[in-house]
Short mmCIF file of all heavy atoms in Angstrom, two decimals:
data_model
loop_
_atom_site.label_atom_id
_atom_site.label_comp_id
_atom_site.label_asym_id
_atom_site.label_seq_id
_atom_site.Cartn_x
_atom_site.Cartn_y
_atom_site.Cartn_z
N ASP A 1 -13.53 11.68 -14.05
CA ASP A 1 -12.54 10.87 -14.73
C ASP A 1 -12.97 9.40 -14.53
O ASP A 1 -13.37 9.03 -13.43
CB ASP A 1 -11.13 11.07 -14.18
CG ASP A 1 -10.38 12.14 -14.92
OD1 ASP A 1 -10.74 12.45 -16.08
OD2 ASP A 1 -9.42 12.68 -14.34
N ALA A 2 -12.84 8.60 -15.56
CA ALA A 2 -13.12 7.18 -15.47
C ALA A 2 -12.20 6.44 -16.36
O ALA A 2 -11.83 6.89 -17.44
CB ALA A 2 -14.60 6.91 -15.86
N ASN A 3 -11.79 5.26 -15.93
CA ASN A 3 -10.82 4.44 -16.66
C ASN A 3 -11.14 2.99 -16.55
O ASN A 3 -11.67 2.56 -15.50
CB ASN A 3 -9.39 4.61 -16.12
CG ASN A 3 -8.97 6.08 -15.98
OD1 ASN A 3 -8.61 6.68 -16.93
ND2 ASN A 3 -9.02 6.59 -14.79
N VAL A 4 -10.79 2.21 -17.58
CA VAL A 4 -10.82 0.72 -17.47
C VAL A 4 -9.36 0.39 -17.55
O VAL A 4 -8.65 0.68 -18.50
CB VAL A 4 -11.61 0.08 -18.62
CG1 VAL A 4 -11.51 -1.43 -18.54
CG2 VAL A 4 -13.07 0.53 -18.61
N VAL A 5 -8.87 -0.27 -16.49
CA VAL A 5 -7.42 -0.54 -16.35
C VAL A 5 -7.20 -2.04 -16.20
O VAL A 5 -7.88 -2.73 -15.39
CB VAL A 5 -6.88 0.15 -15.06
CG1 VAL A 5 -5.38 -0.15 -14.88
CG2 VAL A 5 -7.08 1.67 -15.16
N ARG A 6 -6.23 -2.56 -16.99
CA ARG A 6 -5.85 -3.98 -16.86
C ARG A 6 -4.48 -4.04 -16.21
O ARG A 6 -3.57 -3.33 -16.64
CB ARG A 6 -5.78 -4.65 -18.23
CG ARG A 6 -5.20 -6.07 -18.09
CD ARG A 6 -5.05 -6.81 -19.42
NE ARG A 6 -6.37 -7.32 -19.73
CZ ARG A 6 -6.84 -7.39 -20.98
NH1 ARG A 6 -6.13 -6.91 -21.99
NH2 ARG A 6 -8.02 -7.91 -21.24
N VAL A 7 -4.34 -4.86 -15.18
CA VAL A 7 -3.08 -5.09 -14.48
C VAL A 7 -2.77 -6.55 -14.62
O VAL A 7 -3.48 -7.39 -14.10
CB VAL A 7 -3.13 -4.69 -13.00
CG1 VAL A 7 -1.79 -4.89 -12.34
CG2 VAL A 7 -3.63 -3.24 -12.84
N PRO A 8 -1.72 -6.91 -15.38
CA PRO A 8 -1.40 -8.32 -15.60
C PRO A 8 -0.76 -8.94 -14.39
O PRO A 8 -0.27 -8.26 -13.51
CB PRO A 8 -0.35 -8.29 -16.79
CG PRO A 8 0.24 -6.93 -16.64
CD PRO A 8 -0.81 -5.99 -16.09
N PRO A 9 -0.78 -10.31 -14.32
CA PRO A 9 -0.16 -10.99 -13.22
C PRO A 9 1.32 -10.59 -13.10
O PRO A 9 1.98 -10.38 -14.12
CB PRO A 9 -0.28 -12.49 -13.56
CG PRO A 9 -1.11 -12.59 -14.77
CD PRO A 9 -1.30 -11.20 -15.35
N GLY A 10 1.79 -10.46 -11.88
CA GLY A 10 3.16 -10.15 -11.64
C GLY A 10 3.57 -8.67 -11.82
O GLY A 10 4.73 -8.31 -11.78
N SER A 11 2.58 -7.81 -12.04
CA SER A 11 2.83 -6.37 -12.23
C SER A 11 1.96 -5.56 -11.29
O SER A 11 1.03 -4.91 -11.70
CB SER A 11 2.52 -5.96 -13.67
OG SER A 11 3.34 -6.62 -14.57
N PRO A 12 2.25 -5.61 -10.01
CA PRO A 12 1.40 -4.89 -9.00
C PRO A 12 1.37 -3.37 -9.21
O PRO A 12 2.29 -2.84 -9.75
CB PRO A 12 2.01 -5.27 -7.65
CG PRO A 12 3.46 -5.59 -7.99
CD PRO A 12 3.44 -6.17 -9.38
N VAL A 13 0.29 -2.83 -8.78
CA VAL A 13 0.17 -1.33 -8.68
C VAL A 13 0.74 -1.04 -7.29
O VAL A 13 0.19 -1.42 -6.28
CB VAL A 13 -1.28 -0.87 -8.80
CG1 VAL A 13 -1.33 0.66 -8.57
CG2 VAL A 13 -1.85 -1.24 -10.14
N GLY A 14 1.93 -0.40 -7.23
CA GLY A 14 2.61 -0.21 -6.02
C GLY A 14 1.91 0.67 -4.99
O GLY A 14 0.97 1.39 -5.31
N ASP A 15 2.35 0.56 -3.76
CA ASP A 15 1.82 1.32 -2.67
C ASP A 15 1.89 2.80 -2.94
O ASP A 15 2.94 3.32 -3.32
CB ASP A 15 2.68 0.96 -1.43
CG ASP A 15 2.09 1.50 -0.15
OD1 ASP A 15 0.97 1.12 0.20
OD2 ASP A 15 2.80 2.25 0.51
N HIS A 16 0.75 3.46 -2.84
CA HIS A 16 0.69 4.92 -3.12
C HIS A 16 -0.49 5.56 -2.40
O HIS A 16 -1.35 4.87 -1.91
CB HIS A 16 0.60 5.22 -4.64
CG HIS A 16 -0.65 4.72 -5.29
ND1 HIS A 16 -0.88 3.40 -5.51
CD2 HIS A 16 -1.80 5.42 -5.67
CE1 HIS A 16 -2.11 3.26 -6.11
NE2 HIS A 16 -2.67 4.50 -6.19
N VAL A 17 -0.51 6.86 -2.35
CA VAL A 17 -1.59 7.63 -1.75
C VAL A 17 -2.14 8.60 -2.84
O VAL A 17 -1.39 9.30 -3.46
CB VAL A 17 -1.10 8.46 -0.55
CG1 VAL A 17 -2.19 9.36 -0.03
CG2 VAL A 17 -0.60 7.53 0.57
N GLU A 18 -3.43 8.59 -2.95
CA GLU A 18 -4.11 9.57 -3.84
C GLU A 18 -4.59 10.66 -2.89
O GLU A 18 -5.58 10.48 -2.15
CB GLU A 18 -5.26 8.94 -4.58
CG GLU A 18 -6.18 9.90 -5.29
CD GLU A 18 -5.43 10.92 -6.17
OE1 GLU A 18 -4.81 10.52 -7.16
OE2 GLU A 18 -5.46 12.11 -5.84
N ALA A 19 -3.93 11.79 -2.94
CA ALA A 19 -4.21 12.85 -1.99
C ALA A 19 -5.37 13.75 -2.36
O ALA A 19 -5.97 14.42 -1.51
CB ALA A 19 -2.96 13.71 -1.81
N GLN A 20 -5.74 13.82 -3.68
CA GLN A 20 -6.70 14.79 -4.14
C GLN A 20 -8.17 14.29 -4.18
O GLN A 20 -9.04 15.06 -3.94
CB GLN A 20 -6.36 15.25 -5.54
CG GLN A 20 -5.19 16.18 -5.60
CD GLN A 20 -4.99 16.79 -6.97
OE1 GLN A 20 -5.51 16.27 -7.97
NE2 GLN A 20 -4.29 17.87 -7.07
N VAL A 21 -8.37 13.02 -4.57
CA VAL A 21 -9.72 12.64 -4.85
C VAL A 21 -10.07 11.25 -4.22
O VAL A 21 -9.22 10.41 -4.11
CB VAL A 21 -10.04 12.58 -6.40
CG1 VAL A 21 -9.93 13.94 -7.00
CG2 VAL A 21 -9.09 11.61 -7.09
N ASP A 22 -11.33 11.05 -3.92
CA ASP A 22 -11.88 9.74 -3.55
C ASP A 22 -12.02 8.99 -4.85
O ASP A 22 -12.29 9.58 -5.88
CB ASP A 22 -13.26 9.87 -2.92
CG ASP A 22 -13.25 10.63 -1.58
OD1 ASP A 22 -12.24 10.62 -0.91
OD2 ASP A 22 -14.31 11.24 -1.29
N VAL A 23 -11.84 7.68 -4.81
CA VAL A 23 -11.92 6.85 -5.99
C VAL A 23 -12.85 5.70 -5.73
O VAL A 23 -12.83 5.06 -4.69
CB VAL A 23 -10.53 6.28 -6.40
CG1 VAL A 23 -10.63 5.32 -7.57
CG2 VAL A 23 -9.53 7.39 -6.66
N LEU A 24 -13.71 5.38 -6.73
CA LEU A 24 -14.54 4.21 -6.71
C LEU A 24 -13.92 3.21 -7.64
O LEU A 24 -13.61 3.52 -8.79
CB LEU A 24 -15.96 4.52 -7.19
CG LEU A 24 -17.00 3.42 -7.01
CD1 LEU A 24 -17.25 3.18 -5.50
CD2 LEU A 24 -18.30 3.80 -7.68
N LEU A 25 -13.63 2.02 -7.16
CA LEU A 25 -13.02 0.93 -7.96
C LEU A 25 -14.01 -0.20 -8.08
O LEU A 25 -14.61 -0.62 -7.10
CB LEU A 25 -11.74 0.45 -7.26
CG LEU A 25 -10.95 -0.62 -7.93
CD1 LEU A 25 -9.44 -0.30 -7.73
CD2 LEU A 25 -11.25 -1.98 -7.44
N VAL A 26 -14.24 -0.68 -9.33
CA VAL A 26 -15.18 -1.73 -9.65
C VAL A 26 -14.40 -2.84 -10.41
O VAL A 26 -13.92 -2.55 -11.45
CB VAL A 26 -16.38 -1.27 -10.49
CG1 VAL A 26 -17.32 -2.44 -10.75
CG2 VAL A 26 -17.06 -0.11 -9.83
N VAL A 27 -14.27 -4.03 -9.84
CA VAL A 27 -13.58 -5.12 -10.48
C VAL A 27 -14.49 -5.75 -11.54
O VAL A 27 -15.62 -6.12 -11.21
CB VAL A 27 -13.12 -6.15 -9.47
CG1 VAL A 27 -12.35 -7.30 -10.22
CG2 VAL A 27 -12.25 -5.57 -8.39
N VAL A 28 -14.00 -5.79 -12.79
CA VAL A 28 -14.86 -6.28 -13.88
C VAL A 28 -14.35 -7.63 -14.43
O VAL A 28 -15.07 -8.33 -15.13
CB VAL A 28 -15.03 -5.27 -15.06
CG1 VAL A 28 -15.75 -4.06 -14.54
CG2 VAL A 28 -13.68 -4.90 -15.64
N SER A 29 -13.10 -7.98 -14.10
CA SER A 29 -12.54 -9.27 -14.54
C SER A 29 -11.37 -9.63 -13.66
O SER A 29 -10.64 -8.75 -13.22
CB SER A 29 -12.14 -9.12 -16.02
OG SER A 29 -11.52 -10.29 -16.49
N GLY A 30 -11.16 -10.94 -13.50
CA GLY A 30 -10.01 -11.39 -12.72
C GLY A 30 -10.18 -11.19 -11.24
O GLY A 30 -11.29 -10.99 -10.75
#
């Protein structure tokens, strides 16, 4: 699975746990 995700200012991705998979995160802007 791969996604390009935009998170605008003032809209945090809240505290959570991903229990199933390791994730690689690459910042492409901002």
